[in-house]
């Protein structure tokens, strides 16, 4: 179902009840770009730490706009033995609520826009009919302003129809050069009042000028379709005036709800506490929080906490497909390819049916990169993989619910693109800390190319180069004992410099501490804090072997035993064997 | 005529000949936003110097995209006694030329986008079908790359169909992990070659891998509509191979011209040396140069020089309408209002006719903020005002050509929005330097409002406040001799600080000098220089009284004499009385 500003209000209850009844939700976002600075290989360095990756994405991705949001709800119908889906495709645009509300600026990246254009994306639906939104602070501010006006009204203070333009300092005074004009308008109104009951419009005046008008008037700002603004002045008796003022306040309240707009859908998803499935969803989660809740925190740990408040249960199908037992069976984890492979043996196409009144997607038509469609097939992928896990049970089960313990090991682990040795960001616990003692941090003149690095390390056989920027890269050696040799040979080098990975991390840490001290020194600095409005009741923390999230099956009732985790760094901790088994 | 990527090539000759035959051109641009930082009142402070205004616009406006460009050509038809117009409305988008070409990021401002949406702007035409462009440096780089490949080809070096991705440092090496895959593809190709003449496609490989393939092959990259890229390998004999390579180079050449795209229209306008008319055109000129020629220079003087190279003759109808003899007759100089007023007495609606094959605009329908329409009515305004000047001649003339000396005083003076005492930026000479010795520069705590300033200066009668930012403003006193009193009283003030305007300017100067010295110290700093490819033959420089650009008529044959310039600061310098009179 396509949802724009035009039909948004009519759809809202349908969206709410779809979320309420669902077993799980799938989401996807389309953005106006990916990186405003580094190219993709620098943005996703193979040896980023989770902190570095988060910091880079926050810095270089968040000024783009999430302008299409796909939500597909999945509800299992026991009688039909199939999922009933309700797909929604929302168009989002930060239409300013009024002339004093924040005027959002966002970046567009030509290649991303061009890519979406080639997929048939409708930009007019975004820019002309996109649903507005407010983050929590903006919403609170607006509600406060409205409340203030309501109180003024109750106390009988004249209520100009303007929201006081608090951001524009010059407004609380009538400029000298306008006084003549205002006096003329006031005179004209007074003269007319003598003779008639009428409504008259004038070019817009600043709000302070309204105080100059005689009593017994209802004053209202009207805006034409062409964005020309007028003040409409009507002569009314006291009762009628009060009725109109009341009407105006009610209208304002409704407009305020409209301004919160799409954020209400995200609030509903959040409150439901339902499992939210996405494919390679880190950026989707970051954008959603950034746009509809609050600016992203500096610190990764704080981000994890906010994420748990907004989305208490997440599952990333790209991470799931990259982990045992799927890893060996799936060669390409891109969404489109994954969806195709999960139709083939040993997997089974999930049984789904689109709910009545919803246009149904046809996977043969591949409407990829429409957020609603992508959310839909992400859900299909999840179902196919979840059901596959059921085949390991004794007796095997064809349907595994979104609430099954079998799926829990995949919860709240978001796929990390292109990091060699850390497959996911662990939202509910500390991240994996792989040893990187075979890695060197090399700095060199900006003329150097990859071939220069291969040349430099030619004595060491196979190496792997991960570019950081123009003048630095990580070089992974194949054997750890080569590190000392490389360090020794480089001691007298002038054109380049080598550090061990440990030295590099230490240096970064020290730099960060220096900055933090400095920041604390400034008076205006306040540590951001977040309050969790939805409690998940889901506060377990458990470590899994990162090679194989499902290595817990090692200890359980299943037939197929996966042993590769034996030598892994972190010991998997077993949860209780669930009763349902 | 609407021009997008689809019909651009077919239209180009029509555009060229319309420019060539025209008496003058009118232009207009629509942008994705205006200010990425300060609000409008801070961006356009009433007491900005021209340097300050230029610096602010450069800093806060140039990251937006000029995405619709209106050009309307006007050719006077003697026989019909009317202008024949050819209006064009171009949609512009920086579609990346290939995967290694610059991936432009631009900002969108919600309020601007929302405004254009309310005017019926078609964003799909921009983002899906916009004409690409390159600035001069990008074009030179691309031509160089193509030339290099052409030479390699001539020297018999194998020419992979890729443009070498020089920006991606990692590309000049086949990654270890891909070698197996490439070897398999090569083996497969070799096996197939044994048996058949055929064309075969493979998933895309990096360009270095191409060298691994056996001779006697034509290798080509193909991209599907869905942006999937493949390598197509065909077995061909030597002659056929050469023919195909030649074809490929020609295609590349054509693609390169396509990539220069809309910039070719701007080059044609520039080369023509024709009078270019715009309304409030400073931002149009800045964006046009920035997008299609070169990044804007730091220094205002350098900007003026570049502007004279690109647009040797400019005329701003907003400035013209704000100057004598129009100033007294025209109350509102916004484009829409101006157009309406110039239909009324004492002005005359210009006689115009749309050229055959061009859709004609109807001014009664007001398609405002479509760049083509705005350019069209800007041209109408210019004609009406120019012809009005003819009424002062003895005998009066009904038609004044775009080449008439009567118009020259208005050349190359671009309207400066909202500056109290400097009406225009003088592109061909030094700017006006009004005395500001009644102006104070006041700094204060950020809680202060305009009313606090009125309070502070209440003893001095009328004052005018121009906000700079949260903690500073200019305060203009009504009498210069009050300045010393204000300075004296403020000496012991703690919460605020007052400087005279002269002190403020001196401080800024010193700061700038400090920065310049610092910048010169850095090795990498190179002063930008611009070469002028079109000479205007128009190198006069002449000062006019800024109160009244037309005060030159004081000395000429006209009936109506305007005397207000008598007391003005700069003496008007008279040009020779033209022979045509």
């Amino acid at each position: 179902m396509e949802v724009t500003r035009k039909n948004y209000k009519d759809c809202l209850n349908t969206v709410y009840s779809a979320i309420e009844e669902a077993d799980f939700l799938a989401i996807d976002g389309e953005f106006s770009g990916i990186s405003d600075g580094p190219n993709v290989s620098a943005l996703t360095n193979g040896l980023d730490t989770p902190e570095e990756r988060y910091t880079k994405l926050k810095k270089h991705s968040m000024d783009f706009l999430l302008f299409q949001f796909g939500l597909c709800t999945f509800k299992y119908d026991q009688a039909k033995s199939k999922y009933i889906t309700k797909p929604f495709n929302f168009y989002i645009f930060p239409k300013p609520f009024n002339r004093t509300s924040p005027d959002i600026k966002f970046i567009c990246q030509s290649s991303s826009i061009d890519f979406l254009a080639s997929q048939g994306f409708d930009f007019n639906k975004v820019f002309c009919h996109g649903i507005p939104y407010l983050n929590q602070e903006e919403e609170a501010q607006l509600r406060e302003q409205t409340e203030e006006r309501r109180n003024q009204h109750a106390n009988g203070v004249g209520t100009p129809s303007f929201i006081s333009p608090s951001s524009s300092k010059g407004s609380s005074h009538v400029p000298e050069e306008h006084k003549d004009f205002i006096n003329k308008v006031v005179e004209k109104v007074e003269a007319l009042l003598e003779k008639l009951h009428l409504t008259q419009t004038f070019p817009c005046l600043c709000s302070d000028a309204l105080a100059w008008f005689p009593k017994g008037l209802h004053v209202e700002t009207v805006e034409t379709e062409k964005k020309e603004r007028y003040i409409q002045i009507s002569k009314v008796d006291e009762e009628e005036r009060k009725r109109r003022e009341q009407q105006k306040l009610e209208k304002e309240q409704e407009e305020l709800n409209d301004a919160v707009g799409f954020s209400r859908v995200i609030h509903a998803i959040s409150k439901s506490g339902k499992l939210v499935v996405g494919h390679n969803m880190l950026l989707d989660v970051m954008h959603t929080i950034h746009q509809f809740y609050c600016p992203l925190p500096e610190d990764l740990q704080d981000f994890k906490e906010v994420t748990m408040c907004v989305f208490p249960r997440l599952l990333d199908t790209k991470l799931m497909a990259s982990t045992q037992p799927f890893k060996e069976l799936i060669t390409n984890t891109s969404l489109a390819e994954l969806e195709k492979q999960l139709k083939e043996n040993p997997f089974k196409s999930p049984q789904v049916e689109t709910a009545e009144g919803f246009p149904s997607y046809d996977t043969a038509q591949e409407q990829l990169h429409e957020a609603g469609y992508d959310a839909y097939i992400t859900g299909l992928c999840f179902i196919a993989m979840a059901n596959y896990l059921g085949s390991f049970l004794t007796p095997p089960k064809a349907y595994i619910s979104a609430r099954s313990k079998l799926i829990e090991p995949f919860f709240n682990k978001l796929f990390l693109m292109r990091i060699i040795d850390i497959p996911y960001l662990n939202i509910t616990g500390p991240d994996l800390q792989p040893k990187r003692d075979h890695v060197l941090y090399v700095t060199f003149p900006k003329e150097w190319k990859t071939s220069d690095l291969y040349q430099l390390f030619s004595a060491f056989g196979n190496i792997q180069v991960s570019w950081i920027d123009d003048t630095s890269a990580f070089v992974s050696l194949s054997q750890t004992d080569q590190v000392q040799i490389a360090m020794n040979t480089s001691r007298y080098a002038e054109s380049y410099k080598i550090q061990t990975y440990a030295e590099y991390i230490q240096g970064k840490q020290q730099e960060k501490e220096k900055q933090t001290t400095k920041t604390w020194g400034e008076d205006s600095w306040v540590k951001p804090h977040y309050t969790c409005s939805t409690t998940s009741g889901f506060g377990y923390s458990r470590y899994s072997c990162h090679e194989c999230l499902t290595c817990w099956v090692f200890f359980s009732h299943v037939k197929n035993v996966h042993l590769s985790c034996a030598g892994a760094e972190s010991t998997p901790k077993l949860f209780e064997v669930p009763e349902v088994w």
Side-chain angles (χ1 to χ4, degrees), chain A residues 166-217:
Chain A
S166 59
S167 65
S168 154
K169 285 193 168 199
S171 65
S172 58
H173 190 89
V174 177
E176 202 57 38
E177 65 268 32
H178 295 168
K179 285 184 179 168
D180 260 9
F181 173 69
I182 293 170
N183 271 325
K184 273 183 206 154
V185 173
V186 172
E187 274 169 30
K188 199 170 165 191
V189 170
E190 284 175 332
L192 287 163
L193 280 174
E194 297 294 315
K195 298 183 212 154
L196 298 154
H197 289 265
L198 92 175
T199 294
Q200 177 101 12
T201 58
F202 295 93
C204 200
L205 306 171
C206 85
S207 55
D208 279 28
L210 299 181
W212 298 24
F213 284 95
K215 306 266 168 203
L217 289 181

Side-chain angles (χ1 to χ4, degrees), chain A residues 50-67:
Chain A
E51 285 80 9
E52 284 170 330
R53 177 62 60 86
Y54 171 72
T55 304
K56 278 196 278 183
L57 291 180
K58 171 174 150 44
K59 183 172 174 192
H60 295 295
S61 279
M62 288 305 113
D63 289 339
F64 297 101
L65 186 68
L66 190 174
F67 54 21

Side-chain angles (χ1 to χ4, degrees), chain A residues 25-92:
Chain A
L25 316 170
I27 64 165
D28 180 63
E30 296 294 336
F31 320 121
S32 64
I34 300 294
S35 170
D36 67 6
N39 60 25
V40 173
S41 70
L43 191 69
T44 57
N45 184 292
L47 289 162
D48 279 339
T49 62
E51 285 80 9
E52 284 170 330
R53 177 62 60 86
Y54 171 72
T55 304
K56 278 196 278 183
L57 291 180
K58 171 174 150 44
K59 183 172 174 192
H60 295 295
S61 279
M62 288 305 113
D63 289 339
F64 297 101
L65 186 68
L66 190 174
F67 54 21
Q68 196 185 51
F69 190 94
L71 166 68
C72 189
T73 66
F74 290 80
K75 174 185 159 60
Y76 192 70
D77 184 320
Q78 293 285 357
K80 290 184 173 173
S81 289
K82 54 168 70 168
Y83 275 102
I84 309 298
T85 68
K86 294 185 177 174
F88 300 92
N89 193 40
F90 299 93
Y91 291 86
I92 320 282

Side-chain angles (χ1 to χ4, degrees), chain A residues 414-543:
Chain A
L414 306 189
F415 187 75
L416 283 172
M417 288 273 282
R418 296 200 188 90
I419 297 189
I420 296 166
D421 50 9
I422 312 178
Y424 60 85
L425 184 72
N426 186 11
I427 299 291
T428 40
D431 285 301
L432 300 162
Q433 291 199 301
K435 270 193 188 155
R436 288 179 176 174
D437 46 13
H438 62 301
V439 177
L440 299 171
Y441 172 70
V442 192
T443 50
F444 40 78
K446 67 167 178 286
E447 291 75 22
W448 278 36
K449 299 207 161 111
T450 306
S451 54
D452 295 297
L453 288 167
Y454 277 95
Q455 184 68 37
L456 181 63
F457 292 96
S458 54
F460 299 113
N462 268 350
I463 62 161
Q464 203 167 16
V465 174
S466 312
W467 283 88
I468 299 166
D469 54 32
D470 261 10
T471 60
S472 63
F474 292 120
V475 173
S476 308
L477 304 179
S478 52
Q479 282 154 35
T480 306
D481 54 12
Q482 293 170 337
V483 165
Q484 203 44 54
I485 307 171
M487 295 295 290
N488 291 344
T489 11
S490 77
R491 197 166 298 156
Y492 305 107
E494 284 183 1
S495 59
Y496 67 95
K497 210 184 120 189
I498 296 184
Q499 285 187 307
T500 63
Y501 184 79
E503 286 167 353
Y504 163 77
I505 287 292
Q506 208 181 356
K508 280 205 85 163
Q509 204 79 34
Q510 282 168 357
E511 211 172 281
K512 197 180 164 189
E513 275 160 24
K514 240 189 272 170
Q515 278 174 359
T516 315
T517 324
K518 204 169 140 204
T519 321
W520 271 99
E522 285 168 21
D523 278 357
S524 61
W525 198 84
V526 177
K527 196 171 188 298
H529 65 278
Y530 305 90
T531 47
C532 189
S533 58
T534 54
T535 44
S536 63
F538 212 71
Y540 75 99
S541 73
R542 179 165 38 77
Y543 305 105

